[in-house]
């Protein structure tokens, strides 16, 4: 049985302020937790209900396991239907992203993405296409938000996410910046080369003007129908797919 203070701590991790203060975030569900077990992340404790024993015992013996009641799990879970197990994981200190780490590859840059579901899906897309890092504006949704973590389906364990002021950071990076805009060049005729940054903007407002000025190549996904816009996660997938397709030629 968890103490009141333990329950309060775990519940507080659903909020960005308390996650940053405590230095932890939560991951729910066996499959997602396994991804973090096999990653550089440091797992503090895995909390599980009694009937979950057989699965939990297959994890590393170095991890602290704590059996809790179904009632306590329901109190600390962010899900309407808890998944029997939740892990308390340390927020890593990746340090500053060096410009040399961006050379010879593609990275995603997100300007003001707000929807946790979109953010989690973008992380999953990046993982699928082998993109190792995502650079976010400081007002982009927190990557350790429970809904982001859940939507990433464990891919967060393999994709590093950095937050910085884009208007100051992008000019320092000597790489092409491909910006997703409605009035850009056709994505299917664009030569992406073998490295660069793919910049995508806020769900409703797109890329803000101060960031748009730093784009070196505006790119658009041609529209054949009448939809006003594409979901940002879908647009990300199309950009990553086209870059990957051309790299394989």
């Amino acid at each position: 049985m968890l103490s009141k203070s333990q329950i309060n701590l775990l519940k507080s991790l659903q909020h960005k302020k308390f996650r940053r203060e405590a230095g932890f975030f939560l991951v729910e569900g066996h499959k997602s937790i396994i991804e973090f077990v096999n990653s550089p992340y440091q797992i503090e404790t895995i909390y599980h209900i009694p009937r979950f024993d057989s699965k939990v015992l297959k994890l590393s013996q170095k991890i602290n396991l704590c059996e809790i009641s179904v009632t306590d799990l329901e109190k600390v879970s962010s899900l309407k239907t808890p998944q029997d197990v939740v892990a308390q994981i340390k927020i890593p200190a990746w340090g500053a992203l060096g410009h040399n780490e961006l050379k010879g590859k593609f990275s995603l840059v997100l300007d003001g993405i707000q929807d946790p579901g979109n953010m989690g899906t973008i992380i999953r897309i990046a993982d699928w296409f082998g993109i190792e890092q995502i650079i976010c504006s400081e007002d982009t949704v927190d990557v350790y938000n429970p809904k982001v973590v859940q939507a990433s389906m464990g891919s967060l364990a393999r994709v590093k996410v950095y937050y910085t002021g884009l208007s100051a950071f992008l000019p320092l990076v000597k790489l092409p910046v491909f910006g997703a805009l409605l009035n850009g060049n056709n994505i299917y005729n664009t030569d992406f080369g073998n490295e660069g940054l793919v910049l995508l903007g806020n769900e409703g407002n797109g890329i803000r003007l101060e960031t748009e000025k730093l784009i070196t190549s505006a790119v658009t996904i041609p529209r054949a129908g009448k939809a006003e816009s594409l979901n940002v996660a879908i647009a990300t997938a199309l950009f990553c797919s086209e870059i990957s397709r051309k790299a394989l030629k």
Side-chain angles (χ1 to χ4, degrees), residues 102-139:
L102 303 175
K103 300 288 186 181
K105 64 182 71 173
F106 287 91
S107 302
L108 298 178
V109 180
L110 306 179
D111 188 12
I113 301 303
Q114 296 297 303
D115 182 80
N118 281 337
M119 185 66 183
T121 302
I122 289 171
I123 293 169
R124 203 172 167 192
I125 291 165
D127 186 27
W128 179 268
F129 286 99
I131 292 176
E132 300 171 348
Q133 57 268 320
I134 298 174
I135 303 147
C136 302
S137 62
E138 293 170 321
D139 61 344

Side-chain angles (χ1 to χ4, degrees), residues 26-65:
L26 297 183
V27 177
E28 302 191 51
H30 182 259
K31 289 184 178 179
S32 291
I33 290 172
I34 287 295
E35 302 289 359
F36 283 91
V37 169
N38 299 315
S39 79
Y41 280 82
Q42 179 183 331
I43 297 180
E44 180 74 8
T45 304
I46 292 179
Y47 300 92
H48 63 93
I49 60 175
R51 67 171 179 262
F52 201 76
D53 279 356
S54 61
K55 292 181 180 179
V56 170
L57 291 176
K58 294 179 182 179
L59 300 177
S60 170
Q61 297 303 309
K62 297 180 181 179
I63 296 174
N64 182 38
L65 303 176

Side-chain angles (χ1 to χ4, degrees), residues 207-220:
I207 299 169
R208 71 193 80 196
L209 184 58
E210 64 187 61
T211 314
E212 184 178 331
K213 294 176 181 178
L214 303 174
I215 293 172
T216 57
S217 182
V219 182
T220 191

Side-chain angles (χ1 to χ4, degrees), residues 3 11 18 20 25 82 153 156 204 229 236:
S3 67
K11 286 177 65 175
F18 298 114
R20 297 299 172 177
F25 69 103
M153 298 293 288
L156 179 59
S229 62
T236 301

Side-chain angles (χ1 to χ4, degrees), residues 63-237:
I63 296 174
N64 182 38
L65 303 176
C66 180
E67 183 179 304
I68 63 174
S69 67
V70 173
T71 300
D72 282 348
L73 180 68
E74 290 173 346
K75 289 178 181 178
V76 303
S77 174
S78 63
L79 304 175
K80 291 183 179 179
T81 306
Q83 295 190 30
D84 297 349
V85 60
V86 57
Q88 179 184 348
I89 300 179
K90 187 174 179 62
I91 294 176
W94 297 131
L97 179 61
H99 302 150
N100 289 334
E101 296 177 58
L102 303 175
K103 300 288 186 181
K105 64 182 71 173
F106 287 91
S107 302
L108 298 178
V109 180
L110 306 179
D111 188 12
I113 301 303
Q114 296 297 303
D115 182 80
N118 281 337
M119 185 66 183
T121 302
I122 289 171
I123 293 169
R124 203 172 167 192
I125 291 165
D127 186 27
W128 179 268
F129 286 99
I131 292 176
E132 300 171 348
Q133 57 268 320
I134 298 174
I135 303 147
C136 302
S137 62
E138 293 170 321
D139 61 344
T140 292
V141 62
D142 182 30
V143 71
Y144 299 114
N145 178 304
K147 293 181 179 178
V148 174
V149 176
Q150 197 68 27
S152 77
M153 298 293 288
S155 286
L156 179 59
R158 288 178 292 273
V159 179
K160 291 184 178 181
V161 181
Y162 299 85
Y163 289 82
T164 188
L166 297 183
S167 59
F169 179 81
L170 292 180
L172 300 176
V173 182
K174 306 303 180 182
L175 290 173
V177 179
F178 300 96
L181 297 173
L182 290 176
N183 59 347
N185 298 318
N186 188 321
I187 188 174
Y188 303 115
N189 298 327
T190 299
D191 180 5
F192 288 97
N194 59 6
E195 61 181 2
L197 306 176
V198 178
L199 173 62
L200 300 110
N202 173 269
E203 291 89 345
N205 302 316
I207 299 169
R208 71 193 80 196
L209 184 58
E210 64 187 61
T211 314
E212 184 178 331
K213 294 176 181 178
L214 303 174
I215 293 172
T216 57
S217 182
V219 182
T220 191
I221 300 165
R223 176 175 56 183
K226 297 182 179 179
E228 180 183 356
S229 62
L230 276 177
N231 172 275
V232 66
I234 297 296
T236 301

